[in-house]
Amino acid sequence: MLNDSSPAVHSPHTHWVALAGRCEPLGPARDRVRSVLANVVPCVDDAVLVVSELVGNAVRHTTAGPDCLTIEIDGDQVVVAVHDPEPDDGRVHLSGTAADPLAESGRGLWLVQTLARRWYVETTAVGKAVVAVLPRGKTAVSRAAGS
């Protein structure tokens, strides 16, 4: 689903990762996703890739970069959200260049859309969060293979 604005249900078991002010926020974000989800859900690699794309987008397309990452395991889904202090100005959207095999960038949200059940932008008290909801079960590769 493209940019579904209906928010995911937030559970009280949220894992937070502070990213504000880090020169290299990708490593700590990936490490935390792996540590939280390892041995709990099969979709660890999908979640790591989605978080990498969302954090990378926040680094490239916001002035301040990402503020924090939240990770929730909620029933049959994993909800990851990358928060930043800038308002939702409608710029978070799928790029038209993603279909171009020669494009050097613009594929991040296409990957997120492929791996996640849905993704959306949520206005927060201090900016916005780009949220992706992944199925807790099979990874995208195993779902595509029909296994």
Side-chain angles (χ1 to χ4, degrees), residues 42-118:
C43 69
V44 175
D45 292 334
D46 288 359
V48 169
L49 180 54
V50 165
V51 165
S52 294
E53 292 299 335
L54 297 181
V55 170
N57 283 349
V59 168
R60 279 186 293 285
H61 301 294
T62 65
T63 303
D67 184 44
C68 70
L69 162 70
T70 57
I71 309 158
E72 300 176 57
I73 302 170
D74 183 24
D76 70 341
Q77 62 190 21
V78 173
V79 181
V80 294
V82 174
H83 302 253
D84 70 67
E86 295 186 10
D88 177 14
D89 58 7
R91 291 187 306 147
V92 180
H93 62 277
L94 290 174
S95 168
T97 63
D100 179 357
L102 300 177
E104 292 183 16
S105 64
R107 294 179 182 86
L109 286 177
W110 285 91
L111 286 171
V112 171
Q113 180 169 302
T114 300
L115 297 173
R117 284 183 176 160
R118 62 189 173 108

